[in-house]
Amino acid sequence: DQQVKQNSPSLSVQEGRISILNCDYTNSMFDYFLWYKKYPAEGPTFLISISSIKDKNEDGRFTVFLNKSAKHLSLHIVPSQPGDSAVYFCAASAGANFGNEKLTFGTGTRLTIIP
Amino acid sequence: GAGVSQSPSNKVTEKGKDVELRCDPISGHTALYWYRQSLGQGLEFLIYFQGNSAPDKSGLPSDRFSAERTGGSVSTLTIQRTQQEDSAVYLCASSSLETQYFGPGTRLLVL
């Protein structure tokens, strides 16, 4: 039972354009959502998070949007850069400690930025 | 500062043998987590230590898996009588506030 789903295993985007990565979840108890980025042979690196009381959070080139009614979130990267090429994981948690709870991860989307 | 470290980075073992994987969290982090990533899958939660509280073992796939955290710092994940389906990358993370920081993982291959 996959509670966090990333339905696109891969995505290719031209350098300078916008990258949009999508994530859907089924568990209505999830109230905190995170995006992690992973390079080969390295552990995932935290990118950005959003609490369920918000619908948008922005940090530089990265913006996460949350649509609670649709149980959908997305990560926008603009402008996309070659260094953004990596696997992106969506994750969710439930509980009072936000990201300090066990995380449920999606299967990842491999983003390739084309120079 | 130093991040989360894990050892060994790679481990090849024979089916039926026991293995121990080590995690050194970021100094001062009270919470420590173990996840694993099987081929083509997302990260799967295994176990979670928070301070002196009893660990959350709800993600351990079988009783062949166990973990301990000594002195609130270093953690060891033990897999007894390894099976081929245990082959995966085992990732450790630690956190103090809202963000989990991951180590590079141990790639385990059971032949």
Side-chain angles (χ1 to χ4, degrees):
Chain A
D1 176 28
Q2 193 73 27
Q3 297 187 59
V4 177
K5 300 176 186 177
Q6 294 177 255
N7 292 319
S8 298
S10 63
L11 175 68
S12 294
V13 174
Q14 205 77 32
E15 181 179 0
R17 307 293 280 266
I18 183 170
S19 296
I20 300 176
L21 296 98
N22 293 302
C23 178
D24 296 289
Y25 62 97
T26 57
N27 188 340
S28 58
M29 299 299 292
F30 288 146
D31 56 8
Y32 194 72
F33 304 90
L34 309 93
W35 284 93
Y36 279 82
K37 173 180 177 180
K38 186 178 185 302
Y39 293 119
E42 294 183 11
T45 303
F46 171 75
L47 263 181
I48 193 168
S49 62
I50 188 167
S51 160
S52 60
I53 63 173
K54 293 186 172 182
D55 55 17
K56 176 183 175 181
N57 190 25
E58 192 171 354
D59 184 2
R61 296 187 298 113
F62 302 91
T63 303
V64 55
F65 295 91
L66 175 62
N67 182 333
K68 280 184 60 180
S69 60
K71 294 190 176 68
H72 176 83
L73 64 155
S74 60
L75 174 68
H76 292 210
I77 306 172
V78 55
S80 300
Q81 299 174 355
D84 296 331
S85 295
V87 177
Y88 288 78
F89 289 98
C90 171
S93 70
N97 292 319
F98 305 110
N100 214 28
E101 302 275 356
K102 61 186 180 186
L103 299 178
T104 300
F105 283 84
T107 51
T109 297
R110 181 178 300 278
L111 175 65
T112 302
I113 305 302
I114 305 164
Chain B
V4 177
S5 60
Q6 293 186 244
S7 61
S9 53
N10 292 280
K11 176 72 177 179
V12 181
T13 190
E14 292 178 349
K15 177 182 171 181
K17 295 283 181 69
D18 298 351
V19 295
E20 283 190 353
L21 312 179
R22 177 187 168 107
C23 172
D24 285 85
I26 294 172
S27 177
H29 279 191
T30 56
L32 187 147
Y33 314 76
W34 283 96
Y35 296 86
R36 74 175 175 182
Q37 185 181 14
S38 303
L39 191 64
Q41 302 296 313
L43 280 74
E44 172 192 7
F45 166 76
L46 296 177
I47 186 169
Y48 160 40
F49 297 88
Q50 173 60 277
N52 294 321
S53 303
D56 178 344
K57 303 179 182 180
S58 60
L60 294 179
S62 78
D63 59 7
R64 297 185 295 103
F65 288 73
S66 63
E68 62 177 23
R69 188 178 187 192
T70 53
S73 181
V74 172
S75 178
T76 303
L77 177 70
T78 301
I79 309 173
Q80 296 178 308
R81 305 180 303 281
T82 51
Q83 303 295 311
Q84 289 181 332
E85 61 263 29
D86 300 335
S87 297
V89 177
Y90 288 81
L91 291 151
C92 174
S94 70
S95 68
S96 61
L97 294 173
E98 295 183 359
T99 303
Q100 295 181 28
Y101 296 89
F102 283 81
T106 294
R107 186 176 299 275
L108 175 66
L109 178 61
V110 182
L111 300 176

